[in-house]
Amino acid sequence: MRQSFFVILSVSQRLLLFITDGEKEMAKAIAKGNNISELRDAIEMVVRMLANKGIKVTQSGIQAFVSYDKTTLEPERVNIPMISEKSSPELVIAIKGFVDHEVGHLLFTDPKVIKRAVEEKVGNLHNIFEDTFIEAQMKKAFAGSTRNIDKTVEFAIKHFFQKSFDEALKARQSNPEMSEAKFFIAGLVVPAIRAMAGQEAAIEFMADKWVHIENVYAELKLLEPQIVGINSSLKALQMANTFRDILCEVDQRERDERAKAAEEAARADEDDEDDGSGSSSSSSSSSGAPEDSRSMGDDIFNPEEGDESQASGGSKSKSKSSSKPEKDGPEDEDKPDEGGSEAEGEPEEDDSDGKGSSGEEGEEGEADQEGEGAGESEGDSEEEPEGEGAGKGAGEGDSEEEEAEGESGGTGGEETESDSSGGDKESEKSTDFEGGDGGERLGDDGDERNRDTSGWHGGATTRSAGEREDLSLLKDIEEVDTYDSALENALTEGALQSLQDRSYMAFSNENDKIETYSVPDNRMREVKERRNRLRQENSERIGVMAKALERIIAARNRSTYVPGFKSGRLHSSSLYKLKTGDNRVFRRQEVSRTKDTAVMLLVDCSGSMSNRNRIYKAAEAAYALATSLERINVKTQVMGFTTIENYAFFSEARDQLAELAATRPDFKGGFDRVSPLFMPIFKTFDERMTPECETRIAGLPTVDMANNADSESVEIAANILAARREERKILVVLSDGQPAQQRIYTYEERADRAKQHLHHVVDRVEKAGIEILGIGIEADAVNEYYPKSIVLDNVAELPTKIVSEMTSMLLK
């Protein structure tokens, strides 16, 4: 039922959405350090699937969960925990498999059937069956999902279902009364159903576990063809109801057998006590029969012990003792079988007058009346085969007297058990997807069949009050853990491990914003005035830089002839080589050109940039550099980076860590960023330097300045740049200092993971082939993080300092 979807967009993964076809190799290299290559395809597919679904997708904190509308049961939000760069490939592929699984629900689940399954109290069980169907459909529709889905099943078995089985087995060993059906629901239902559906990982897992549920499996294995053949949500619902019926039937049969064994043990104990009484028992017997010739029933149904023996007999009296009340009476001691025959021959008379079949009076007759129901049923079962007696018992199960018999300790339960395993049950098995559900049922043709709502019913049998199934089993079935909940649990545990490995991890990207900047209306006049000043003050500077770069590029774009080839144009000066047998007397033209280049300008917009008007200097430098590069046809994008103050965001992170600290005292972890990112775009690669772009760049100082998460911002910018088709890619970062961001831990963190992470990101981006230049705005902190860096104290220095660095990059 988990019709929910999400986008994995942690740290540097978000901007992969901008990657164009055929330009992903560099993005793969950047992604290698934090598993982007594993998640990219899933991200792109889910983004397309979610375009018009209206489902809120978040990646936040440490908990995996799905929230639903309480009325429609439609998903409202799905959340995936943040994972660190050091997360295992196993966890990453589990996330991919979960994506494919949830897309399967989107494509193949019928929401109306989901609602009905919940009403019929088999919502979770229906989900378990439907999962096998939607995954099979996904594999057919999208061959690439097969590996993800199969590996995710392995992940769930390893990290959840093995533990569930171990816990259930331990519980069963400590509680011998735990039924096989309850054990099955607690520890094996999901892998067992998946094994019966043909999933290899589940088959392997269940290979040595079927022995723990022999009785359950003996019944359920007959459904394997139907489980494999489930082809709709409706069929999954029908199978869920049938499955529940069979589990309840097996559970009832086991409880009946246990009660029967307990009764026999009680009788044996009483017989031992009577044997110990010796001659006193023999002398008091009116029949004078030898002590060793008395049966167990003689003692249990002694009129003087009638109440006690009824209590000990319970609802499981054996058919062989059905005529014992008559045998115990002194007047009938020579006719041990008479009572049974009479009970068998006159059932209607017994029902009408409520008297015992032997017609005895006094205290002995009263005892017979109290045990009449049991005696009558026992007489039947003594004369008939077990199956026939059971069928008869079932047919009469609706009468008020039989309900009373069930409550007073008669053997109705035993007869009903026989009925359940007899003809009616075989009829039930022969009809696909039929069985009781405690409410309305769906047949194969989709029609509704009204069923008794008083409880579960196997076949056509209506159990009496004392014989109905253990209601706690129905509750267990209703609340059984699903595959989806197992994955949520396993993913949450994986996120916890990420928190504890002390690698960099943000709390969430839910409220991160990467969007085209819009200058506030109330500051537009101010910004336009600044734009005009930028044009005037930098026109000369821009001209100098543009011409210098253009000359260098023109010099680079030259052609020369190189001799020494065996083919090409004849080089007369090399003809002498022919005397020595050297035929390399030709020349070829070689053309040197600058590589097609894209440049990303990333500007620090944090609060510290307001000191000494640094943000104005950064805006002027970005404007001058972007305009100069455009004049020589180098594609350029200008972005900023800062954070958004959000107290609710911080509080949620703090509360999650507080809860962890309370439940896991030894837990040590935390989040390195607990405020959303804001990365305004002032000019895109595909825009010319229009007045609108100039206005946005001039509006840089109007950005709401907060903190600066340098490492994540550099990584995002690098991923946008990696998506470009240009051969050479250059990232220029303009900043005034160290990373500074709001963070929270459950322990005292001495190391600054934000700084460590920036070193790691810069190294990874450079190894991916993107060149990085750090420009310090009146600060030399850039020298610590960027191998190539310059410090700019005055914008007037820009032409001389930037041209030399850009020249080496452009002509490299």
Side-chain angles (χ1 to χ4, degrees):
M1 155 175 170
R2 306 285 180 179
Q3 188 175 333
S4 53
F5 314 92
F6 58 92
V7 183
I8 305 301
L9 296 175
S10 66
V11 190
S12 65
Q13 301 166 8
R14 282 155 290 203
L15 272 298
L16 283 172
L17 306 181
F18 294 95
I19 294 179
T20 55
D21 294 338
E23 288 294 320
K24 299 181 179 178
E25 292 304 317
M26 190 170 294
K28 287 181 180 179
I30 299 173
K32 186 176 181 181
N34 60 357
N35 299 311
I36 294 179
S37 58
E38 283 289 331
L39 294 170
R40 177 179 12 88
D41 293 338
I43 293 170
E44 294 174 350
M45 177 182 66
V46 174
V47 167
R48 291 193 295 269
M49 296 297 299
L50 288 178
N52 298 308
K53 297 302 176 181
I55 299 171
K56 186 177 181 181
V57 177
T58 61
Q59 187 182 12
S60 177
I62 55 175
Q63 297 174 336
F65 63 85
V66 180
S67 59
Y68 299 89
D69 183 279
K70 294 181 180 179
T71 302
T72 65
L73 299 182
E74 291 288 333
E76 294 180 316
R77 174 190 177 190
V78 58
N79 185 75
I80 274 297
M82 298 292 286
I83 58 174
S84 75
E85 297 178 353
K86 295 182 180 179
S87 298
S88 67
E90 182 185 45
L91 176 60
V92 173
I93 201 168
I95 294 174
K96 285 188 65 180
F98 191 48
V99 170
D100 292 341
H101 179 91
E102 298 302 336
V103 170
H105 278 300
L106 171 64
L107 296 176
F108 306 112
T109 290
D110 184 345
K112 294 180 180 178
V113 177
I114 292 174
K115 189 171 183 180
R116 180 160 192 167
V118 174
E119 292 171 351
E120 295 184 9
K121 300 187 182 302
V122 289
N124 287 3
L125 192 57
H126 167 258
N127 175 242
I128 295 171
F129 281 107
E130 189 188 50
D131 281 348
T132 64
F133 154 62
I134 62 104
E135 289 180 359
Q137 294 297 328
M138 279 295 293
K139 291 178 180 180
K140 292 178 182 178
F142 307 98
S145 68
T146 300
R147 176 177 176 268
N148 299 336
I149 290 172
D150 291 345
K151 288 294 183 181
T152 302
V153 174
E154 294 177 12
F155 178 86
I157 287 174
K158 176 180 177 181
H159 294 279
F160 186 85
F161 293 115
Q162 181 62 55
K163 295 178 182 177
S164 295
F165 168 74
D166 293 340
E167 291 172 359
L169 188 61
K170 185 177 180 180
R172 192 181 193 188
Q173 291 169 346
S174 63
N175 178 21
E177 296 300 317
M178 184 180 190
S179 70
E180 190 175 293
K182 277 181 166 287
F183 169 74
F184 173 67
I185 289 295
L188 289 174
V189 62
V190 172
I193 288 174
R194 286 178 170 268
M196 287 187 282
Q199 296 188 359
E200 291 297 328
I203 291 172
E204 182 179 349
F205 175 74
M206 289 299 300
D208 60 349
K209 296 175 179 64
W210 295 118
V211 295
H212 296 281
I213 51 168
E214 289 181 338
N215 296 324
V216 168
Y217 184 51
E219 300 290 337
L220 298 181
K221 67 181 179 181
L222 302 176
L223 301 177
E224 286 187 9
Q226 292 96 318
I227 293 174
V228 173
I230 292 175
N231 58 9
S232 68
S233 296
L234 179 60
K235 288 294 185 183
L237 174 60
Q238 294 167 343
M239 177 57 71
N241 280 311
T242 299
F243 206 80
R244 178 182 65 177
D245 292 352
I246 293 176
L247 286 178
C248 289
E249 181 68 30
V250 172
D251 186 67
Q252 180 65 43
R253 188 158 59 239
E254 180 179 348
R255 293 190 300 109
D256 288 349
E257 291 172 354
R258 288 184 177 181
K260 185 186 301 183
E263 177 186 328
E264 291 175 349
R267 288 179 176 174
D269 291 342
E270 287 194 15
D271 190 45
D272 291 341
E273 292 177 3
D274 289 341
D275 288 343
S277 64
S279 58
S280 60
S281 297
S282 300
S283 62
S284 62
S285 174
S286 59
S287 64
E291 182 178 355
D292 58 3
S293 67
R294 298 175 62 198
S295 69
M296 186 186 304
D298 293 332
D299 296 302
I300 294 178
F301 285 94
N302 189 305
E304 296 178 0
E305 299 176 315
D307 292 341
E308 179 182 350
S309 53
Q310 285 288 343
S312 65
S315 61
K316 300 295 176 186
S317 303
K318 298 297 291 180
S319 60
K320 77 177 201 175
S321 61
S322 59
S323 60
K324 295 308 184 219
E326 290 78 8
K327 184 174 181 179
D328 283 344
E331 296 179 6
D332 299 314
E333 62 184 3
D334 295 328
K335 303 176 182 179
D337 296 328
E338 182 177 347
S341 301
E342 188 171 347
E344 178 182 345
E346 300 177 3
E348 295 183 3
E349 180 179 346
D350 290 343
D351 289 343
S352 62
D353 61 19
K355 296 180 181 180
S357 60
S358 62
E360 291 156 350
E361 301 177 355
E363 180 180 354
E364 195 172 40
E366 291 173 4
D368 284 346
Q369 277 189 320
E370 293 174 2
E372 180 184 2
E376 179 177 330
S377 298
E378 288 160 4
D380 290 344
S381 61
E382 182 173 335
E383 293 293 325
E384 297 176 352
E386 183 177 352
E388 296 176 6
K392 181 177 177 180
E396 298 173 355
D398 291 337
S399 68
E400 294 179 2
E401 183 173 16
E402 280 193 304
E403 291 183 4
E405 290 169 1
E407 295 170 356
S408 63
T411 59
E414 182 178 346
E415 291 184 11
T416 307
E417 173 195 339
S418 300
D419 172 68
S420 304
S421 60
D424 285 344
K425 182 176 178 184
E426 292 300 323
S427 174
E428 181 183 22
K429 286 183 182 179
S430 66
T431 304
D432 290 350
F433 306 118
E434 293 185 1
D437 65 349
E440 294 181 343
R441 285 284 281 117
L442 291 169
D444 277 342
D445 56 1
D447 294 336
E448 298 180 0
R449 295 192 293 134
N450 292 326
R451 300 293 301 270
D452 191 322
T453 59
S454 61
W456 165 82
H457 308 287
T461 304
T462 301
R463 295 184 182 277
S464 62
E467 300 162 344
R468 287 180 185 148
E469 73 291 339
D470 184 357
L471 295 181
S472 66
L473 176 63
L474 293 179
K475 190 68 173 177
D476 290 346
I477 292 173
E478 183 180 358
E479 298 177 352
V480 62
D481 283 327
T482 64
Y483 179 68
D484 301 74
S485 64
L487 276 182
E488 289 177 3
N489 179 282
L491 292 175
T492 297
E493 289 298 319
L496 285 174
Q497 183 59 45
S498 292
L499 276 178
Q500 294 186 93
D501 66 16
R502 303 204 178 182
S503 60
Y504 183 92
M505 191 167 75
F507 171 67
S508 174
N509 61 27
E510 178 181 351
N511 297 310
D512 293 354
K513 292 182 180 180
I514 304 171
E515 59 189 17
T516 300
Y517 185 63
S518 179
V519 176
D521 291 338
N522 62 346
R523 302 190 68 178
M524 182 60 74
R525 182 176 178 179
E526 167 197 341
V527 169
K528 286 184 176 179
E529 291 176 355
R530 186 180 302 113
R531 178 196 65 190
N532 294 334
R533 287 198 303 271
L534 285 176
R535 289 174 178 171
Q536 295 172 3
E537 296 173 0
N538 288 279
S539 59
E540 182 178 351
R541 191 175 298 127
I542 290 169
V544 171
M545 285 195 296
K547 287 181 179 180
L549 292 172
E550 191 173 21
R551 283 195 300 269
I552 295 170
I553 291 174
R556 182 69 171 176
N557 291 340
R558 65 184 186 277
S559 62
T560 58
Y561 283 94
V562 179
F565 292 94
K566 294 181 179 181
S567 63
R569 284 192 173 190
L570 184 66
H571 187 223
S572 58
S573 299
S574 299
L575 291 175
Y576 71 91
K577 294 181 180 180
L578 293 174
K579 296 180 179 180
T580 62
D582 187 350
N583 61 355
R584 291 176 295 176
V585 295
F586 297 90
R587 64 176 181 171
R588 292 180 184 177
Q589 185 181 28
E590 290 188 356
V591 179
S592 299
R593 298 184 183 277
T594 56
K595 294 181 179 178
D596 197 15
T597 304
V599 177
M600 168 72 75
L601 303 180
L602 184 63
V603 183
D604 183 352
C605 298
S606 63
S608 63
M609 289 288 287
S610 63
N611 296 335
R612 301 172 58 181
N613 293 326
R614 290 172 179 169
I615 190 65
Y616 292 94
K617 296 174 183 177
E620 189 173 358
Y623 172 78
L625 188 54
T627 305
S628 300
L629 290 170
E630 183 183 72
R631 289 189 180 184
I632 60 173
N633 296 317
V634 173
K635 293 290 186 179
T636 308
Q637 178 157 320
V638 183
M639 294 182 69
F641 67 96
T642 184
T643 61
I644 303 170
E645 295 296 337
N646 188 323
Y647 182 74
F649 192 92
F650 170 79
S651 297
E652 186 178 354
R654 180 192 59 196
D655 293 345
Q656 283 197 21
L657 288 181
E659 182 180 350
L660 270 177
T663 56
R664 304 188 182 196
D666 297 332
F667 174 80
K668 290 186 177 182
F671 300 107
D672 298 286
R673 177 174 62 84
V674 288
S675 54
L677 294 177
F678 178 44
M679 297 187 69
I681 300 173
F682 302 104
K683 177 189 177 299
T684 67
F685 284 111
D686 298 322
E687 288 181 305
R688 299 293 295 176
M689 186 61 83
T690 62
E692 184 179 359
C693 288
E694 291 177 334
T695 300
R696 290 197 294 260
I697 293 174
L700 257 164
T702 66
V703 173
D704 289 332
M705 299 178 182
N707 296 315
N708 53 301
D710 294 57
S711 60
E712 292 184 69
S713 302
V714 167
E715 201 167 16
I716 289 171
N719 276 302
I720 297 176
L721 187 56
R724 297 296 302 173
R725 296 181 180 275
E726 287 78 9
E727 186 177 358
R728 168 168 284 126
K729 299 170 177 66
I730 300 172
L731 174 60
V732 179
V733 181
L734 295 91
S735 179
D736 72 333
Q738 306 281 352
Q741 55 206 65
Q742 196 173 27
R743 55 190 179 173
I744 184 172
Y745 306 107
T746 60
Y747 63 101
E748 182 180 356
E749 174 60 272
R750 298 184 181 277
D752 194 330
R753 296 204 298 235
K755 295 179 180 179
Q756 295 172 353
H757 190 239
L758 179 55
H759 280 293
H760 178 60
V761 168
V762 170
D763 180 64
R764 189 167 66 234
V765 170
E766 286 198 318
K767 287 180 177 177
I770 294 178
E771 299 170 75
I772 302 182
L773 172 64
I775 299 180
I777 306 298
E778 298 182 345
D780 61 0
V782 292
N783 297 333
E784 180 181 347
Y785 301 104
Y786 304 100
K788 296 179 182 178
S789 61
I790 60 174
V791 176
L792 198 65
D793 294 320
N794 192 308
V795 179
E797 301 174 329
L798 191 60
T800 55
K801 289 190 174 182
I802 197 68
V803 167
S804 61
E805 290 293 340
M806 293 297 295
T807 298
S808 63
M809 290 181 174
L810 291 172
L811 300 182
K812 186 176 179 179

